[in-house]
Amino acid sequence: EEFVDIQNSHRLAKAVPHIETAVEKLIVKLSRTGAEVFRQEELLRKTLEANPENRVVLRHAHREKSTSMVSLQRQRTNLLAKHAAVLEEMAMLGPIIRLADYMMCDALMQVVTKAVRTLHGALKNPDQVMGMFRLLFTFTDTGSKLVPDEDSLSKAMATLMRSLVQVVQQVPRVLHDKRLTVLFRGGGGNMG
């Protein structure tokens, strides 16, 4: 039980807060990226709406100068191309957030799998590992006894495995964060 208590306290004091901090940083970065894409789209859309007929007048030193039709058409084509690219980026926000969520879950599962494999390897090859469990070997009237016994040790390992599953289940999902749901509006894809 001491081993399980140490593992639980380490998980609650160090592992879970570290994971939550990493998820929070990822959410903030995704949120900023999405906000920037939406800001660019709004700016380009307003520019295109303000000048639907290619009427651009440039002011130089208090005099007006009209630009050529070719130049106006080139500017309009460039704005339309930029707007199309930004709309494409907006459409990719949903899949990018979904991918980030999957990558975060996969990284966490790899950490948990590695921890379980390490523990399994230590239990399988006890000669290579020292000091994992504290066992007390006592002599009794009827012989000798190990404390904790095999059943207690098995229960402790089962409790440890359940707690690892709980850690994975408790991690906040990037995909379900309310701050990112606004990124799915207007062509940002769906979350499912």
Side-chain angles (χ1 to χ4, degrees), residues 3 21 35 40 44 47 52 54 67 78 88 94 99 129 160-161 163 165 167 178 192:
F3 175 76
T21 300
Q40 288 176 4
L44 288 168
T47 302
N54 291 333
T67 57
N78 287 341
E88 190 174 325
L99 176 64
V129 178
L160 179 63
M161 294 302 133
S163 67
V165 170
V167 166
K178 291 184 189 324

Side-chain angles (χ1 to χ4, degrees), residues 156-192:
M157 290 296 107
T159 301
L160 179 63
M161 294 302 133
R162 280 192 300 275
S163 67
L164 286 173
V165 170
Q166 288 174 349
V167 166
V168 173
Q169 291 173 339
Q170 290 173 353
V171 169
R173 296 283 305 266
V174 172
L175 190 63
H176 298 190
D177 191 272
K178 291 184 189 324
R179 292 169 288 181
L180 298 177
T181 57
V182 298
L183 301 180
F184 293 97
R185 69 180 164 107
N190 61 31
M191 290 176 62

Side-chain angles (χ1 to χ4, degrees), residues 137-146:
F137 186 74
T138 60
F139 293 101
T140 63
D141 294 338
T142 60
S144 60
K145 180 180 176 183
L146 282 174

Side-chain angles (χ1 to χ4, degrees), residues 23-171:
V23 170
E24 180 62 27
K25 286 179 181 177
L26 179 61
I27 289 170
V28 167
K29 287 182 182 186
L30 288 170
S31 182
R32 286 181 184 160
T33 301
E36 177 62 22
V37 170
F38 276 94
R39 187 192 65 74
Q40 288 176 4
E41 190 279 331
E42 184 179 5
L43 179 68
L44 288 168
R45 183 175 30 82
K46 285 181 179 179
T47 302
L48 288 168
E49 288 172 355
N51 190 12
E53 297 177 13
N54 291 333
R55 292 186 190 152
V56 175
V57 177
L58 300 175
R59 298 180 191 270
H60 294 289
H62 302 294
R63 63 181 178 159
E64 293 186 7
K65 178 182 175 186
S66 296
T67 57
S68 70
M69 290 301 289
V70 173
S71 177
L72 289 174
Q73 189 61 33
R74 190 177 314 124
Q75 288 175 3
R76 180 83 173 170
T77 303
N78 287 341
L79 283 175
L80 288 171
K82 286 179 184 177
H83 190 250
V86 168
L87 289 176
E88 190 174 325
E89 288 175 7
M90 285 176 66
M92 288 189 282
L93 287 174
I96 287 172
I97 292 170
R98 193 174 308 106
L99 176 64
D101 180 66
Y102 293 159
M103 290 173 70
M104 182 63 77
C105 290
D106 182 59
L108 181 61
M109 288 305 300
Q110 287 181 16
V111 168
V112 169
T113 303
K114 182 180 177 185
V116 170
R117 283 186 180 149
T118 301
L119 178 63
H120 181 261
L123 294 174
K124 193 173 180 181
N125 301 319
D127 298 337
Q128 297 177 357
V129 178
M130 295 184 67
M132 180 170 277
F133 301 106
R134 188 176 303 163
L135 296 174
L136 182 61
F137 186 74
T138 60
F139 293 101
T140 63
D141 294 338
T142 60
S144 60
K145 180 180 176 183
L146 282 174
V147 177
D149 60 3
E150 187 177 351
D151 289 337
S152 298
L153 198 55
S154 294
K155 288 178 185 176
M157 290 296 107
T159 301
L160 179 63
M161 294 302 133
R162 280 192 300 275
S163 67
L164 286 173
V165 170
Q166 288 174 349
V167 166
V168 173
Q169 291 173 339
Q170 290 173 353
V171 169

